[in-house]
């Protein structure tokens, strides 16, 4: 198995808010102390943060669950519980984040240090101080903390490179990357030496720099799942310029022009708009005996197959990764082309703006009523379940407030309309109570 991971699904769970407290002042000389229960603290968020030092999603291989801590409960004497620290999860540059259930795009993390909140901590429940009113100066009412958000998210790494080196296996892509940058990819005389993308920073002789990625070799049919290349094509999605590397030596018995067309066919059939990126043809292994002759033939065919005679020529740079001849001109031309090539928007869809923390999806009904086989009425729905979780059933007054809130939402009327009778059992989650007319 390759030691590279570029797609993973993880579970994130934010902290619950701390519970609000019911308490009363007990001071000397103050006969009936007023309410003194503080609010619970905020639960911690789970936040993704870009770490330049990471190159893959390998860290997630054995660790796929991330939780933030709950907020501290409110205390007596009006003291609020402390909010919990957020939990940070490091991801490499170029990580795309989606909600695993809906597929919605949550963010595309590019800059070092960039953050994205993927699970919101619950707010703290209010203590009884907050429920005091002239009519009810000493309420025994407090809220429990709001539950933290919990979900599965998908991370997909698409390496951040300006330039992608593509071509058949063994045409010399890794050799090139190793001589134009400080990257040290494995080089070998056999096919598919490179199993994972390598990244290197390139600096041209006139001081410009760009990031280049060397990809595993593509072979004909790769886009149909043959060979290795297809699973790595996503890593050239962010590139703006493609260096199309061709072995001009003809050593392996293939025709350079056919190679060129086969790879373009792969790039086209993957539906990633890869052919829209400008290419530079790198005619490699020019140190070999037959290379010059093959290059002439290649250029002839390239010219012959031009769409029309006025179309721009695709630039061809003869080089040798081994003798390093021709590299300066190639790199300067690449930097020139980068300067005039805009970025390709990777996603046409919008990044999903998260609904406001305390808000509820307005399209969802506040509750739904079902009847169980044991004749119990079952209430469900995001809003009603959250209300239930935030109710502290230790205090009668809080329970009564809950009942009022249900009535306010129209639950009583709806149950009656469905035929509920005095004494019927009603259930929310694990909790059961009697319906009272
Ligand atoms: N003569 C000659 N040989 C070269 C040149 N560049 C690379 N080679 C050789 O070609 C073979 C393959 O080189 P790699 O750089 O591993 O090729 P690659 O395209 O990265 O191959 P994969 O990773 O397998 O796709 C090695 O034996 C290299 O030494 C060159 O310019 N001239
Ligand atoms: Mg290689």
């Amino acid at each position: 198995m390759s030691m590279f991971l570029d797609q993973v699904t993880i579970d994130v769970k934010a902290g619950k808010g701390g519970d609000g407290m019911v308490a009363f002042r007990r001071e000397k000389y103050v006969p009936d102390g007023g309410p003194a229960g503080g609010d619970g603290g905020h639960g911690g968020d789970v936040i993704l943060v870009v770490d330049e030092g990471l190159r893959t999603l390998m860290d997630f291989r054995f660790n796929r669950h991330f939780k933030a801590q709950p907020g501290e409960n409110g205390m007596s004497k009006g003291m609020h519980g402390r909010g919990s620290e957020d939990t940070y999860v490091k991801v490499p540059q170029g990580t795309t984040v989606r909600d695993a259930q809906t597929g919605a795009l949550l963010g595309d993390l590019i800059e070092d240090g960039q953050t994205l909140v993927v699970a919101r901590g619950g707010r703290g429940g209010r203590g009884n101080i907050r429920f005091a009113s002239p009519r009810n100066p000493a309420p025994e009412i407090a809220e429990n903390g709001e539950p933290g958000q919990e979900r599965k998210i998908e991370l997909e790494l698409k390496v951040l490179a300006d330039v992608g080196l593509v071509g058949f296996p063994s045409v010399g892509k890794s050799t090139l990357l190793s001589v134009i940058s400080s990257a040290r990819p494995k080089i070998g005389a056999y096919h598919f030496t490179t199993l994972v993308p390598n990244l290197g920073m390139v600096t041209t002789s006139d001081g410009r720099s760009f990031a280049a990625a060397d990809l595993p070799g593509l072979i004909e049919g790769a886009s149909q799942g043959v060979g290795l290349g297809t699973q790595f094509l996503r890593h050239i999605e962010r590139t703006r310029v493609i260096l199309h590397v061709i072995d001009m030596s003809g050593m392996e018995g293939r025709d350079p022009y056919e190679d060129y067309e086969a790879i373009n066919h792969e790039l086209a059939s993957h539906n990633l708009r890869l052919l829209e990126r400008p290419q530079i043809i790198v005619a490699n292994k020019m140190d070999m005996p037959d290379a010059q002759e093959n290059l002439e033939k290649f250029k002839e065919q390239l010219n012959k197959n031009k769409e029309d005679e006025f179309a721009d020529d695709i630039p061809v740079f003869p080089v040798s990764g081994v003798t390093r001849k021709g590299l300066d001109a190639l790199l300067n031309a690449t930097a020139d082309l980068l300067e005039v090539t805009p970025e390709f928007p990777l996603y046409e869809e919008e990044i999903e703006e998260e609904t406001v923390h305390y808000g509820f999806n307005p399209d969802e009904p506040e509750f739904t009523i079902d009847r169980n086989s044991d004749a119990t009425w079952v209430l469900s729905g995001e809003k009603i379940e959250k209300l239930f979780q935030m109710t502290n059933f230790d205090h009668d007054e809080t329970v009564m407030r809950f009942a009022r809130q249900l009535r306010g939402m129209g639950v009583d009327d709806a149950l009656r309309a469905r035929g509920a009778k005095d004494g019927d059992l009603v259930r929310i989650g694990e909790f059961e109570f009697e319906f009272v007319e």
Side-chain angles (χ1 to χ4, degrees), residues 232-267:
F232 294 104
L233 275 177
R234 76 174 65 124
H235 294 297
I236 40 177
E237 264 192 89
R238 290 190 202 274
T239 63
R240 282 181 292 146
V241 168
I242 287 179
L243 295 186
H244 191 147
V245 185
I246 294 169
D247 181 347
M248 282 297 162
S249 73
M251 266 187 327
E252 299 206 16
R254 291 190 314 262
D255 174 65
Y257 192 76
E258 280 170 17
D259 275 12
Y260 170 72
E261 290 205 307
I263 292 292
N264 277 340
H265 179 72
E266 283 318 309
L267 296 179

Side-chain angles (χ1 to χ4, degrees), residues 340-375:
V340 298
T341 308
E343 281 189 25
F344 290 83
L346 208 53
Y347 302 106
E348 276 164 13
E349 69 216 89
E350 298 263 321
I351 288 185
E352 177 130 313
E353 284 298 329
E354 294 281 281
T355 42
V356 197
H357 189 182
Y358 306 120
F360 297 95
N361 187 346
D363 301 334
E364 261 188 33
E366 293 191 325
F367 60 89
T368 51
I369 299 178
D370 295 298
R371 188 122 205 221
N372 249 5
S373 50
D374 63 358

Side-chain angles (χ1 to χ4, degrees), residues 170 172-175 185-188 192-195 198 214-217:
S170 292
K173 301 179 295 297
S174 301
T175 306
K186 205 165 138 191
I187 292 165
F192 298 117
T193 309
T194 302
L195 296 175
N198 297 292
D214 156 37
L215 294 193

Side-chain angles (χ1 to χ4, degrees), residues 289-300:
D290 295 334
Q292 193 56 43
E293 197 182 315
N294 288 336
L295 176 63
E296 300 306 328
K297 270 196 270 169
F298 177 86
K299 281 184 169 169
E300 253 170 51

Side-chain angles (χ1 to χ4, degrees), residues 133-320:
S133 67
R135 271 183 50 211
N136 189 359
E140 286 198 32
I141 298 176
E143 272 172 344
N144 286 340
E146 183 188 30
Q149 203 182 3
E150 186 176 357
R151 61 172 157 187
K152 278 188 196 303
I153 57 171
E154 265 169 26
L155 307 179
E156 183 183 20
L157 174 64
K158 296 177 175 182
V159 297
L160 220 59
D162 305 301
V163 171
L165 292 156
V166 302
F168 266 77
S170 292
V171 295
K173 301 179 295 297
S174 301
T175 306
L176 276 174
L177 188 71
S178 75
V179 296
I180 63 176
S181 78
S182 55
R184 289 292 165 262
K186 205 165 138 191
I187 292 165
Y190 49 92
H191 286 191
F192 298 117
T193 309
T194 302
L195 296 175
V196 304
N198 297 292
L199 264 182
M201 280 306 293
V202 179
T203 305
T204 62
S205 54
D206 59 6
R208 293 175 292 174
S209 62
F210 55 84
D214 156 37
L215 294 193
L218 300 175
I219 54 162
E220 203 173 353
S223 69
Q224 281 92 53
V226 185
L228 260 189
T230 170
Q231 67 188 104
F232 294 104
L233 275 177
R234 76 174 65 124
H235 294 297
I236 40 177
E237 264 192 89
R238 290 190 202 274
T239 63
R240 282 181 292 146
V241 168
I242 287 179
L243 295 186
H244 191 147
V245 185
I246 294 169
D247 181 347
M248 282 297 162
S249 73
M251 266 187 327
E252 299 206 16
R254 291 190 314 262
D255 174 65
Y257 192 76
E258 280 170 17
D259 275 12
Y260 170 72
E261 290 205 307
I263 292 292
N264 277 340
H265 179 72
E266 283 318 309
L267 296 179
S269 50
H270 211 71
N271 205 17
L272 296 173
R273 303 173 58 194
L274 298 177
L275 275 191
E276 290 174 36
R277 285 145 183 73
Q279 284 191 10
I280 290 178
I281 297 173
V282 183
N284 196 26
K285 306 199 184 179
M286 291 305 294
D287 55 288
M288 296 298 282
D290 295 334
Q292 193 56 43
E293 197 182 315
N294 288 336
L295 176 63
E296 300 306 328
K297 270 196 270 169
F298 177 86
K299 281 184 169 169
E300 253 170 51
Q301 276 171 298
L302 193 63
N303 230 340
K304 212 167 65 196
N305 289 304
K306 246 165 80 161
E307 273 173 30
D308 64 89
E309 53 186 314
F310 301 114
D312 280 343
D313 283 336
I314 300 167
V316 181
F317 283 84
V319 304
S320 163

